[in-house]
């Protein structure tokens, strides 16, 4: 019964994705239906933790594994896709856009249930293609260049991954995740490099800020909300089923959390702050693999809400924004989302932060606390933006007045944020509440006293196209060394 | 498995080629640094 449900659910987006082309009038509705089906499926798995294991085609083995962790990731994917479809409802996008969005949705879903290296490879490549077509949808030179960069980096990363997968097969005659245990160190290093680059983690993740910063808002929301999590998910899975890899994954978690936040604090461009912040939040997911699913859910909801809202702001530069007041309604959305991500009680970002902190190892605690402080600092930039209510000014300052679709999408994301509290309501104790509040207070203090006046422009050399590939080989060497020791 | 990888590889090559051809209209030399300066 569950087997059939799983197979239908995984095939549905691909089927619907292509039929959207034939029925362009129904595009938006079909896209929405697919995400609602995923939502139901994801919820079912979150509340029924018993894992479903499937083995198709036995000898080479396409093996699937659906459990609570997958459930959380699938839920994130479903909510974010639905929100993006609602957001684009009145934007007059062609059915091509929805086709790609749904195919992307389907392939992201399949990463979340794969349990062997080659299925993950295929799904990640499909994601790369669909994401490229979405980024390049406006067909401007700039969009195409940003898309090409993405495609090139992700394709190179996946080549490394494929090499690693072949080496694993040579050693153990199996593509299953568990075959990594006896695999040679170079194979492990190659596979990790592929996933780290695809997931935008640590130095190999520097391709992410330009890509997410330059794409259209709905596409950025999709990319930041779910697509990067496809690189992270297999790593979390590795750490959970093979304790040997746990320290390695946790190390990269802390490193990327600090790395991303270090850039985000100094950044002045709203979309780039969000993008760098994604890099750091992925670190939080990796830092405590056992509870990464819940963190991924809250981050996906918040980040896509933020990207969608920032897309409606009159400017991208924080300096310009702080001179012209933004509409209060938009400010409220920004503030709620920023509060959640800094871990303010009542929103589920709080539960996720508490849960993650509980699952940290002693050596991680200092690093993660600094990263949490950095988060509070970088989001103080949004919270302290001036805002005003008067409608006449609003009309003149916003590019387009937010419409129904926008509010539905935001309502869904923020509503999800409040509802997600039920997954971990035990977090609400006095002791747990004080710590995030202190962190936020310290962060704001630091922002008002120091960071608001600072105008350091970090060099973007490392983000240049040629250096991205170079950085990848450096990380590979580093990984190889880490796996050996 | 090998066949899948080949198919995926070629389709991505084709996609990149289309993108590059579109870009080459404005940047005939296709120098990364030039394109990057024009588009970011």
């Amino acid at each position: 019964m569950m087997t059939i449900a799983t197979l239908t659910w995984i095939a549905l987006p691909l089927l619907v994705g292509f039929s959207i082309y034939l029925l362009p009038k129904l595009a938006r509705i079909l896209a929405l239906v697919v995400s609602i089906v995923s939502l139901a499926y994801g919820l079912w798995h979150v509340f029924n933790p018993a894992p479903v294991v499937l083995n198709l085609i036995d000898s080479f083995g396409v093996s699937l594994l659906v459990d609570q962790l997958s459930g959380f990731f699938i839920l994130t994917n479903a909510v974010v896709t639905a929100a993006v479809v609602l957001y684009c409802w009145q934007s007059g996008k062609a059915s091509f856009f929805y086709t790609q969005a749904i195919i992307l949705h389907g392939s992201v879903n399949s990463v979340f249930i794969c349990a062997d290296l080659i299925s993950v490879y295929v799904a990640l490549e499909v994601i790369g293609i669909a994401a490229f077509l979405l980024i390049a949808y406006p067909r401007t030179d700039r969009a195409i260049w940003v898309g090409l960069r993405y495609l090139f980096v992700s394709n190179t990363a996946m080549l490394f991954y494929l090499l690693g997968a072949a080496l694993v097969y040579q050693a153990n005659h199996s593509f299953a995740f568990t075959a990594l245990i006896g695999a040679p160190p170079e194979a492990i290093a190659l596979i990790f490099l592929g996933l780290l680059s695809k997931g935008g983690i640590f130095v190999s993740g520097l391709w992410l800020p330009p890509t997410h910063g330059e794409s259209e808002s709905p596409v950025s929301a999709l990319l930041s909300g779910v697509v990067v999590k496809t690189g992270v998910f297999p790593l979390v899975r590795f750490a959970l089923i093979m304790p040997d890899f746990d320290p390695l994954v946790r190390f990269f978690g802390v490193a990327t959390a600090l790395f991303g936040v270090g850039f985000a604090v100094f950044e002045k461009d709203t979309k780039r702050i969000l993008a760098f912040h994604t890099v750091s939040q992925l670190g939080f997911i990796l830092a405590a693999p056992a509870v990464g699913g819940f963190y991924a859910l809250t981050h996906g909801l918040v980040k896509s809400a933020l990207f969608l809202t920032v897309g409606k702001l009159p400017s991208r530069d924080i300096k310009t924004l702080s001179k012209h007041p933004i509409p209060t309604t938009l400010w409220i959305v920004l503030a709620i989302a920023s509060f959640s991500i800094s871990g303010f009680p009542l929103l589920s970002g709080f539960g996720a932060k508490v849960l993650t902190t509980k699952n940290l190892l002693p050596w991680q605690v200092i690093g993660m606390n600094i990263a949490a402080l950095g988060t509070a600092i970088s989001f103080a930039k949004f919270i302290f933006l001036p805002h005003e209510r008067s409608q006449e000014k609003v009309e003149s300052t916003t590019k387009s007045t937010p419409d129904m679709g926008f509010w539905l999408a935001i309502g869904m994301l923020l509503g999800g944020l409040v509802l997600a509290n039920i997954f971990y309501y035990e977090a609400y104790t006095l002791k747990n509440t004080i710590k995030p509040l202190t962190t936020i207070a310290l962060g704001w203090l630091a922002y008002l006293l120091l960071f608001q006046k600072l105008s350091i422009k970090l060099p973007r050399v490392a983000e240049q196209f040629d250096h991205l590939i170079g950085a990848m080989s450096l990380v590979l060497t580093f990984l190889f060394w880490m796996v050996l020791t | 498995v090998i066949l899948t990888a080949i198919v995926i590889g070629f389709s991505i090559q084709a996609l990149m080629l289309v993108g590059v051809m579109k870009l080459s209209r404005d940047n005939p030399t296709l120098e990364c640094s030039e394109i990057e300066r024009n588009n970011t």
Side-chain angles (χ1 to χ4, degrees):
Chain A
M1 169 52 204
M2 214 43 225
T3 315
I4 298 170
T6 307
L7 291 179
T8 339
W9 162 76
I10 204 68
L12 183 74
L14 301 175
L15 214 68
V16 172
F18 287 110
S19 41
I20 279 180
Y21 249 148
L22 304 174
L23 308 160
K25 289 232 168 82
L26 295 176
R28 299 175 292 188
I29 299 166
L30 281 175
L32 202 58
V33 167
V34 170
S35 22
I36 289 170
V37 171
S38 286
L39 184 72
Y41 186 84
L43 272 178
W44 197 88
H45 275 287
V46 168
F47 289 111
N48 298 278
V52 176
V53 183
L54 290 179
N55 279 308
L56 318 169
I57 329 174
D58 45 14
S59 70
F60 281 105
V62 172
S63 49
L64 309 177
L65 167 67
V66 199
D67 58 1
Q68 199 179 22
L69 181 73
S70 326
F72 274 121
F73 277 88
I74 293 165
L75 203 60
T76 317
N77 189 15
V79 179
V80 172
T81 313
V84 167
V85 171
L86 284 174
Y87 181 87
C88 297
W89 200 269
Q90 283 155 340
S91 62
K93 291 220 187 302
S95 57
F96 179 74
F97 182 85
Y98 295 101
T99 307
Q100 296 310 329
I102 287 308
I103 289 176
L104 185 68
H105 176 83
S107 44
V108 168
N109 273 340
S110 44
V111 173
F112 295 155
I113 63 167
C114 282
D116 72 285
L117 297 170
I118 287 299
S119 314
V120 168
Y121 169 77
V122 173
L124 285 177
E125 286 285 30
V126 177
I127 288 172
I129 296 175
F132 165 72
L133 291 173
L134 277 178
I135 297 172
Y137 175 79
R139 315 269 166 81
T140 56
D141 268 8
R142 187 197 184 100
I144 290 178
W145 172 240
V146 171
L148 264 182
R149 273 175 67 115
Y150 172 78
L151 194 63
F152 196 89
V153 169
S154 98
N155 203 16
T156 315
M158 291 324 287
L159 266 180
F160 283 124
Y161 178 92
L162 192 61
L163 274 177
L167 286 173
V168 168
Y169 188 81
Q170 193 188 25
N172 288 337
H173 297 284
S174 159
F175 282 123
F177 281 172
T178 38
L180 275 177
I181 290 177
E186 60 271 24
I188 297 170
L190 284 166
I191 288 185
F192 266 70
L193 173 73
L195 293 173
L196 289 177
S197 321
K198 188 83 189 173
I201 294 156
F202 203 42
V203 188
S204 46
L206 272 176
W207 59 268
L208 189 148
T211 311
H212 291 197
E214 304 298 330
S215 313
E216 278 185 295
S217 297
V219 179
S220 309
L222 267 182
L223 290 179
S224 240
V226 287
V227 172
V228 284
K229 300 211 169 63
T230 55
V232 173
F233 179 82
L235 291 174
V236 173
R237 187 65 102 197
F238 291 166
L240 287 181
I241 54 180
M242 290 163 285
D244 303 7
F245 294 118
D246 190 63
L248 189 61
V249 170
R250 279 174 189 265
F251 166 78
F252 273 102
V254 178
T256 189
L258 290 172
F259 180 75
V261 105
F263 276 96
V265 165
F266 295 109
E267 195 52 62
K268 297 278 178 230
D269 177 310
T270 48
K271 283 187 101 175
R272 285 174 58 88
I273 296 178
L274 294 181
F276 273 123
H277 193 257
T278 300
V279 175
S280 115
Q281 292 292 298
L282 293 170
F284 278 84
I285 300 176
L286 287 181
V291 294
F294 185 42
Y295 204 96
L297 173 67
T298 55
H299 170 250
L301 297 180
V302 164
K303 198 43 67 72
S304 38
L306 280 170
F307 264 117
L308 294 181
T309 319
V310 163
K312 292 280 179 195
L313 290 178
S315 165
R316 281 178 49 173
D317 190 13
I318 286 276
K319 279 221 177 85
T320 326
L321 283 176
S322 54
K323 280 177 199 126
H324 304 284
I326 59 171
T328 306
T329 42
L330 285 184
W331 179 79
I332 292 174
V333 176
L334 279 181
I336 294 180
S338 309
F339 271 125
S340 170
I341 215 158
S342 332
F344 195 78
L346 295 182
L347 296 157
S348 55
F350 166 70
K353 275 239 158 75
V354 171
L355 205 56
T356 304
T357 322
K358 283 225 172 100
N359 282 279
L360 290 179
L361 297 177
W363 60 269
Q364 290 178 300
V365 173
I366 299 178
M368 295 318 274
N369 279 336
I370 297 176
L373 187 66
T375 307
I377 295 175
S378 42
F379 279 93
K381 289 180 201 165
F382 288 104
I383 294 173
F384 288 109
L385 282 180
H387 54 94
E388 65 179 4
R389 201 165 301 188
S390 71
Q391 277 299 314
E392 302 84 58
K393 276 242 173 101
V394 171
E395 300 293 341
S396 60
T397 45
T398 41
K399 268 187 285 187
S400 53
T401 33
D403 44 39
M404 269 302 284
F406 171 75
W407 290 113
L408 273 177
I410 293 295
M412 199 164 126
L413 292 168
L414 296 186
L417 218 48
V418 177
L419 280 182
N421 269 317
I422 54 167
F423 293 130
Y424 188 59
Y425 51 86
E426 298 95 335
Y428 289 92
T429 58
L430 188 66
K431 201 170 131 247
N432 282 344
T433 332
I434 291 172
K435 204 182 137 208
L437 287 181
T438 343
T439 313
I440 295 176
L442 278 177
W444 286 4
L445 212 65
Y447 172 69
L448 291 176
L449 293 180
L450 183 65
F451 285 99
Q452 198 171 24
K453 280 139 204 148
L454 276 184
S455 58
I456 300 173
K457 220 168 166 359
L458 291 182
R460 292 189 187 178
V461 185
E463 285 171 32
Q464 277 167 18
F465 186 54
D466 359 8
H467 296 317
L468 288 176
I469 309 291
M472 244 190 246
S473 43
L474 286 181
V475 175
L476 181 65
T477 323
F478 179 62
L479 265 170
F480 185 63
W481 170 75
M482 275 194 77
V483 176
L484 268 186
T485 49
Chain B
V1 170
I2 296 166
L3 214 63
T4 326
I6 292 174
V7 170
I8 291 174
F10 273 123
S11 41
I12 289 180
Q13 293 298 319
L15 259 182
M16 289 220 244
L17 195 62
V18 175
V20 169
M21 268 157 59
K22 185 103 195 321
L23 277 180
S24 67
R25 209 169 303 159
D26 289 331
N27 305 283
T29 51
L30 284 177
E31 263 176 294
C32 278
S33 47
E34 284 293 318
I35 305 177
E36 191 124 307
R37 205 170 327 128
N38 292 341
N39 290 306
T40 38

mmCIF file of all heavy atoms in Angstrom, chain B residues 1-2 4-6 9 12-16 18 20 22-23 26-28 30-31 35 37-38:
data_model
loop_
_atom_site.group_PDB
_atom_site.id
_atom_site.type_symbol
_atom_site.label_atom_id
_atom_site.label_comp_id
_atom_site.label_asym_id
_atom_site.label_seq_id
_atom_site.Cartn_x
_atom_site.Cartn_y
_atom_site.Cartn_z
ATOM 1 N N VAL B 1 23.740 2.386 -15.835
ATOM 2 C CA VAL B 1 24.305 3.510 -15.064
ATOM 3 C C VAL B 1 25.159 4.387 -15.956
ATOM 4 O O VAL B 1 25.017 5.610 -15.997
ATOM 5 C CB VAL B 1 25.160 2.984 -13.890
ATOM 6 C CG1 VAL B 1 25.933 4.120 -13.263
ATOM 7 C CG2 VAL B 1 24.282 2.316 -12.869
ATOM 8 N N ILE B 2 26.049 3.727 -16.729
ATOM 9 C CA ILE B 2 26.931 4.502 -17.603
ATOM 10 C C ILE B 2 26.111 5.261 -18.640
ATOM 11 O O ILE B 2 26.342 6.440 -18.910
ATOM 12 C CB ILE B 2 27.934 3.563 -18.298
ATOM 13 C CG1 ILE B 2 28.826 2.926 -17.233
ATOM 14 C CG2 ILE B 2 28.772 4.315 -19.296
ATOM 15 C CD1 ILE B 2 29.625 1.750 -17.724
ATOM 16 N N THR B 4 23.018 6.286 -18.428
ATOM 17 C CA THR B 4 22.342 7.425 -17.797
ATOM 18 C C THR B 4 23.287 8.610 -17.703
ATOM 19 O O THR B 4 22.937 9.738 -18.056
ATOM 20 C CB THR B 4 21.900 7.071 -16.360
ATOM 21 O OG1 THR B 4 21.539 5.712 -16.337
ATOM 22 C CG2 THR B 4 20.778 7.941 -15.917
ATOM 23 N N ALA B 5 24.508 8.325 -17.228
ATOM 24 C CA ALA B 5 25.466 9.407 -17.047
ATOM 25 C C ALA B 5 25.775 10.075 -18.380
ATOM 26 O O ALA B 5 25.852 11.301 -18.474
ATOM 27 C CB ALA B 5 26.746 8.871 -16.412
ATOM 28 N N ILE B 6 25.904 9.255 -19.444
ATOM 29 C CA ILE B 6 26.219 9.828 -20.756
ATOM 30 C C ILE B 6 25.083 10.723 -21.237
ATOM 31 O O ILE B 6 25.296 11.850 -21.695
ATOM 32 C CB ILE B 6 26.485 8.702 -21.782
ATOM 33 C CG1 ILE B 6 27.777 7.980 -21.413
ATOM 34 C CG2 ILE B 6 26.589 9.264 -23.179
ATOM 35 C CD1 ILE B 6 28.061 6.770 -22.263
ATOM 36 N N GLY B 9 25.032 13.888 -19.270
ATOM 37 C CA GLY B 9 26.169 14.716 -19.649
ATOM 38 C C GLY B 9 25.928 15.438 -20.951
ATOM 39 O O GLY B 9 26.096 16.655 -21.037
ATOM 40 N N ILE B 12 23.299 18.247 -20.773
ATOM 41 C CA ILE B 12 23.787 19.466 -20.139
ATOM 42 C C ILE B 12 24.713 20.226 -21.070
ATOM 43 O O ILE B 12 24.640 21.446 -21.186
ATOM 44 C CB ILE B 12 24.485 19.128 -18.806
ATOM 45 C CG1 ILE B 12 23.419 18.693 -17.806
ATOM 46 C CG2 ILE B 12 25.227 20.326 -18.260
ATOM 47 C CD1 ILE B 12 23.943 18.336 -16.462
ATOM 48 N N GLN B 13 25.556 19.469 -21.811
ATOM 49 C CA GLN B 13 26.428 20.125 -22.790
ATOM 50 C C GLN B 13 25.598 20.914 -23.787
ATOM 51 O O GLN B 13 25.914 22.059 -24.123
ATOM 52 C CB GLN B 13 27.251 19.081 -23.550
ATOM 53 C CG GLN B 13 28.274 18.356 -22.703
ATOM 54 C CD GLN B 13 29.314 19.291 -22.145
ATOM 55 O OE1 GLN B 13 29.767 20.183 -22.830
ATOM 56 N NE2 GLN B 13 29.659 19.107 -20.889
ATOM 57 N N ALA B 14 24.506 20.303 -24.260
ATOM 58 C CA ALA B 14 23.663 20.966 -25.253
ATOM 59 C C ALA B 14 23.074 22.249 -24.675
ATOM 60 O O ALA B 14 23.085 23.305 -25.329
ATOM 61 C CB ALA B 14 22.547 20.022 -25.688
ATOM 62 N N LEU B 15 22.593 22.163 -23.432
ATOM 63 C CA LEU B 15 22.010 23.334 -22.783
ATOM 64 C C LEU B 15 23.025 24.455 -22.673
ATOM 65 O O LEU B 15 22.745 25.611 -22.981
ATOM 66 C CB LEU B 15 21.581 22.956 -21.371
ATOM 67 C CG LEU B 15 20.120 22.681 -21.137
ATOM 68 C CD1 LEU B 15 19.905 22.376 -19.676
ATOM 69 C CD2 LEU B 15 19.305 23.887 -21.536
ATOM 70 N N MET B 16 24.250 24.094 -22.257
ATOM 71 C CA MET B 16 25.287 25.098 -22.072
ATOM 72 C C MET B 16 25.617 25.753 -23.410
ATOM 73 O O MET B 16 25.811 26.959 -23.484
ATOM 74 C CB MET B 16 26.542 24.449 -21.508
ATOM 75 C CG MET B 16 26.388 24.034 -20.079
ATOM 76 S SD MET B 16 27.874 24.378 -19.197
ATOM 77 C CE MET B 16 28.460 22.874 -18.712
ATOM 78 N N VAL B 18 23.655 26.208 -25.965
ATOM 79 C CA VAL B 18 22.614 27.179 -26.310
ATOM 80 C C VAL B 18 22.840 28.475 -25.559
ATOM 81 O O VAL B 18 22.808 29.576 -26.138
ATOM 82 C CB VAL B 18 21.219 26.604 -25.975
ATOM 83 C CG1 VAL B 18 20.149 27.649 -26.210
ATOM 84 C CG2 VAL B 18 20.950 25.381 -26.809
ATOM 85 N N VAL B 20 25.618 29.627 -24.230
ATOM 86 C CA VAL B 20 26.836 30.305 -24.683
ATOM 87 C C VAL B 20 26.600 31.008 -26.017
ATOM 88 O O VAL B 20 27.058 32.124 -26.237
ATOM 89 C CB VAL B 20 27.992 29.293 -24.795
ATOM 90 C CG1 VAL B 20 29.172 29.916 -25.501
ATOM 91 C CG2 VAL B 20 28.412 28.837 -23.418
ATOM 92 N N LYS B 22 23.847 32.275 -27.089
ATOM 93 C CA LYS B 22 23.077 33.497 -26.836
ATOM 94 C C LYS B 22 23.998 34.592 -26.299
ATOM 95 O O LYS B 22 23.912 35.746 -26.716
ATOM 96 C CB LYS B 22 21.963 33.175 -25.831
ATOM 97 C CG LYS B 22 21.013 34.317 -25.570
ATOM 98 C CD LYS B 22 19.714 34.102 -26.304
ATOM 99 C CE LYS B 22 18.844 35.334 -26.410
ATOM 100 N NZ LYS B 22 18.748 36.216 -25.306
ATOM 101 N N LEU B 23 24.881 34.200 -25.414
ATOM 102 C CA LEU B 23 25.780 35.188 -24.813
ATOM 103 C C LEU B 23 26.771 35.736 -25.832
ATOM 104 O O LEU B 23 27.162 36.889 -25.781
ATOM 105 C CB LEU B 23 26.566 34.559 -23.659
ATOM 106 C CG LEU B 23 25.877 34.491 -22.317
ATOM 107 C CD1 LEU B 23 26.810 33.831 -21.318
ATOM 108 C CD2 LEU B 23 25.505 35.872 -21.830
ATOM 109 N N ASP B 26 26.611 39.226 -27.690
ATOM 110 C CA ASP B 26 27.107 40.494 -27.140
ATOM 111 C C ASP B 26 28.575 40.433 -26.764
ATOM 112 O O ASP B 26 29.248 41.449 -26.691
ATOM 113 C CB ASP B 26 26.290 40.872 -25.902
ATOM 114 C CG ASP B 26 24.905 41.294 -26.293
ATOM 115 O OD1 ASP B 26 24.758 41.809 -27.414
ATOM 116 O OD2 ASP B 26 23.966 41.088 -25.509
ATOM 117 N N ASN B 27 29.067 39.252 -26.480
ATOM 118 C CA ASN B 27 30.465 39.111 -26.086
ATOM 119 C C ASN B 27 31.137 38.103 -27.002
ATOM 120 O O ASN B 27 31.307 36.951 -26.635
ATOM 121 C CB ASN B 27 30.577 38.609 -24.640
ATOM 122 C CG ASN B 27 29.821 39.498 -23.686
ATOM 123 O OD1 ASN B 27 30.260 40.568 -23.331
ATOM 124 N ND2 ASN B 27 28.635 39.038 -23.287
ATOM 125 N N PRO B 28 31.514 38.525 -28.203
ATOM 126 C CA PRO B 28 32.005 37.553 -29.191
ATOM 127 C C PRO B 28 33.253 36.813 -28.734
ATOM 128 O O PRO B 28 33.492 35.690 -29.165
ATOM 129 C CB PRO B 28 32.321 38.417 -30.414
ATOM 130 C CG PRO B 28 31.720 39.743 -30.153
ATOM 131 C CD PRO B 28 31.525 39.890 -28.695
ATOM 132 N N LEU B 30 33.846 35.840 -25.654
ATOM 133 C CA LEU B 30 33.468 34.920 -24.581
ATOM 134 C C LEU B 30 34.485 34.882 -23.452
ATOM 135 O O LEU B 30 34.792 33.825 -22.905
ATOM 136 C CB LEU B 30 33.275 33.495 -25.125
ATOM 137 C CG LEU B 30 31.994 33.253 -25.893
ATOM 138 C CD1 LEU B 30 31.980 31.849 -26.425
ATOM 139 C CD2 LEU B 30 30.784 33.490 -25.026
ATOM 140 N N GLU B 31 35.037 36.050 -23.108
ATOM 141 C CA GLU B 31 35.960 36.087 -21.982
ATOM 142 C C GLU B 31 35.160 36.175 -20.692
ATOM 143 O O GLU B 31 34.320 37.068 -20.548
ATOM 144 C CB GLU B 31 36.889 37.294 -22.090
ATOM 145 C CG GLU B 31 38.217 36.955 -22.711
ATOM 146 C CD GLU B 31 39.062 38.185 -22.881
ATOM 147 O OE1 GLU B 31 38.683 39.049 -23.681
ATOM 148 O OE2 GLU B 31 40.088 38.283 -22.229
ATOM 149 N N ILE B 35 32.374 39.140 -19.499
ATOM 150 C CA ILE B 35 30.951 38.860 -19.310
ATOM 151 C C ILE B 35 30.550 39.160 -17.884
ATOM 152 O O ILE B 35 29.510 39.745 -17.607
ATOM 153 C CB ILE B 35 30.643 37.393 -19.646
ATOM 154 C CG1 ILE B 35 31.112 37.069 -21.053
ATOM 155 C CG2 ILE B 35 29.164 37.125 -19.529
ATOM 156 C CD1 ILE B 35 30.905 35.641 -21.436
ATOM 157 N N ARG B 37 31.859 41.257 -15.826
ATOM 158 C CA ARG B 37 31.802 42.689 -15.546
ATOM 159 C C ARG B 37 30.520 43.290 -16.125
ATOM 160 O O ARG B 37 29.901 44.152 -15.524
ATOM 161 C CB ARG B 37 33.035 43.385 -16.118
ATOM 162 C CG ARG B 37 33.329 44.671 -15.376
ATOM 163 C CD ARG B 37 34.683 45.291 -15.736
ATOM 164 N NE ARG B 37 35.720 44.326 -16.053
ATOM 165 C CZ ARG B 37 36.438 44.385 -17.178
ATOM 166 N NH1 ARG B 37 36.188 45.310 -18.083
ATOM 167 N NH2 ARG B 37 37.390 43.517 -17.397
ATOM 168 N N ASN B 38 30.117 42.813 -17.291
ATOM 169 C CA ASN B 38 28.923 43.369 -17.905
ATOM 170 C C ASN B 38 27.646 42.962 -17.185
ATOM 171 O O ASN B 38 26.643 43.638 -17.274
ATOM 172 C CB ASN B 38 28.806 42.882 -19.362
ATOM 173 C CG ASN B 38 29.896 43.469 -20.219
ATOM 174 O OD1 ASN B 38 30.490 44.477 -19.838
ATOM 175 N ND2 ASN B 38 30.168 42.851 -21.353
#
